């Protein structure tokens, strides 16, 4: 309608303690430039992504509450992009996001909770019902969460992918240290490629 403006939203676990959609009102700073890390999803995939956001929000928020994690699990279950990256990784089988900071222990909690959700849905035999897509999305999230890379402990086999994700996340090097880090990571990744391929 007249005067209508688009609503820009972001989905992530915030330091404020809640995994949900947040208004996209980041400060306009050159080092916090908007960087798209995936192509825009087609409509059907976008609907699936929104469904997965609900599943991830319930999962992160319940784990944080049940384990009494500080800041709603921020920094323990992962950082901002870890929650949204689970969804992108589930949908595309890859991610361009850096850094990924979820730890094995808490990834196990996430997978266990997703399995619990799946089992609760399967008890109600959702086959053929409106809940069936949710069940399928939970299965997809279980698989992707089990395979998502972590940037906490880089090994030679994960260095190549991490270097590529770093480069895409920081497309514009505002600071010299970012440009230097890109060059170092590229050199290390090239060495790793030489011996791993």
């Amino acid at each position: 309608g007249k005067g209508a403006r688009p609503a820009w939203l972001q989905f992530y676990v915030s330091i404020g303690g809640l995994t949900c959609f947040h208004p996209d009102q980041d400060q306009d700073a050159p080092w916090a430039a908007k960087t798209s890390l995936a192509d825009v999803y087609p409509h059907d995939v976008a609907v699936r992504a929104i469904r997965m956001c609900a599943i991830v929000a319930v999962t992160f928020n319940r784990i944080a509450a049940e384990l009494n994690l500080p800041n709603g699990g921020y920094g323990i279950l992962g950082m901002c992009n870890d929650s949204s990256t689970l969804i992108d990784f589930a949908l595309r089988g890859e991610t361009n996001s850096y850094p990924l900071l979820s730890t094995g222990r808490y990834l196990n909690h996430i997978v266990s909770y997703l399995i619990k959700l799946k089992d609760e849905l399967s008890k109600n035999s959702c086959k053929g019902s409106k809940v069936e897509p949710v069940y399928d999305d939970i299965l997809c999230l279980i698989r992707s969460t089990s395979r998502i890379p972590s940037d906490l402990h880089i090994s030679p086999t994960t260095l190549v992918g991490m270097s590529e994700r770093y480069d895409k996340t920081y497309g514009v090097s505002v600071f010299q240290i970012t440009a230097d880090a890109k060059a170092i990571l590229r050199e290390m990744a090239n060495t790793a490629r030489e011996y791993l391929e």
Side-chain angles (χ1 to χ4, degrees):
K2 187 175 180 178
R5 295 189 302 170
W8 298 102
L9 299 172
Q10 299 178 57
F11 176 81
Y12 58 91
V13 56
S14 75
I15 197 162
L18 190 62
T19 303
C20 64
F21 284 100
H22 300 273
D24 187 8
Q25 298 297 322
D26 291 341
Q27 183 178 358
D28 187 18
W31 58 88
K34 301 287 184 231
T35 303
S36 181
L37 298 175
D39 293 333
V40 174
Y41 298 140
H43 181 267
D44 58 326
V45 178
V47 169
R48 191 170 183 208
I50 292 168
R51 228 181 9 247
M52 287 184 174
C53 286
I55 295 164
V56 170
V58 167
T59 301
F60 273 52
N61 293 328
R62 288 294 302 270
I63 291 170
E66 288 174 9
L67 298 178
N68 198 27
L69 299 177
N71 300 319
Y74 181 86
I76 298 170
L77 292 171
M79 304 295 260
C80 306
N81 40 318
D82 287 287
S83 51
S84 55
T85 299
L86 286 178
I87 295 155
D88 188 47
F89 196 72
L91 293 170
R92 298 185 317 118
E94 63 181 3
T95 183
N96 295 325
S97 188
Y98 175 89
L100 301 177
L101 302 173
S102 293
T103 63
R105 175 181 178 196
Y106 287 98
L107 283 171
N108 286 320
H109 283 292
I110 293 167
V111 168
S112 294
Y113 192 82
L114 289 168
I115 290 169
K116 182 178 170 184
L117 279 177
K118 176 196 69 78
D119 290 346
E120 287 174 9
L121 283 178
S122 66
K123 288 178 193 167
N124 300 326
S125 80
C126 63
K127 195 79 172 155
S129 76
K130 290 183 178 184
V131 181
E132 186 174 7
V134 177
Y135 183 84
D136 294 341
D137 290 341
I138 293 170
L139 286 175
C140 189
L141 284 165
I142 291 168
R143 287 190 292 272
S144 66
T145 303
S146 300
R147 294 190 324 258
I148 198 159
S150 174
D151 296 322
L152 285 175
H153 305 285
I154 305 300
S155 70
T157 57
T158 61
L159 180 63
V160 174
M162 186 275 299
S163 173
E164 291 168 355
R165 287 185 291 104
Y166 185 92
D167 200 44
K168 288 176 183 171
T169 298
Y170 300 107
V172 177
S173 299
V174 176
F175 300 110
Q176 184 60 46
I177 195 165
T178 306
D180 294 345
K182 283 182 179 183
I184 292 166
L185 288 172
R186 251 185 245 117
E187 183 180 328
M188 292 171 68
N190 288 337
T191 301
R193 261 190 216 95
E194 182 181 338
Y195 292 99
L196 294 173
E197 294 176 352

